[in-house]
Amino acid sequence: MTDTDLIEQSFAIAWSVLERTGELGEPNWFANFLLDEIIERVRCGERHRLVLSNCAIDAYRHQSIKLVS
């Protein structure tokens, strides 16, 4: 699996989870945020789709709370 495939699949998982839970915000910002989180972890060596998507989801949820505070 290429890095591109890994990133695409991880993004799709994260997007799907947050869409189903009603947590999606502004789509362009949200997409960029998720991609940045996933790409950074791939650069650090992570290669597990679910770990990548879960980390992006957690970062998004943490960021959302931080913005509201």
Side-chain angles (χ1 to χ4, degrees), residues 14-56:
W15 184 279
S16 175
V17 167
L18 291 168
E19 185 175 50
R20 279 182 289 160
T21 60
E23 296 176 75
L24 284 179
E26 193 279 317
N28 289 331
W29 181 89
F30 174 71
N32 287 327
F33 183 89
L34 279 183
L35 283 173
D36 288 346
E37 290 294 321
I38 291 168
I39 290 168
E40 181 60 32
R41 294 203 178 261
V42 168
R43 287 182 180 149
C44 291
E46 183 57 62
R47 294 291 181 265
H48 296 92
R49 287 181 305 194
L50 292 178
V51 171
L52 291 167
S53 58
N54 285 337
C55 288

Side-chain angles (χ1 to χ4, degrees), residues 1-12:
M1 176 181 307
T2 67
D3 284 353
T4 302
D5 293 334
L6 181 62
I7 291 166
E8 287 176 1
Q9 291 175 13
S10 299
F11 176 86

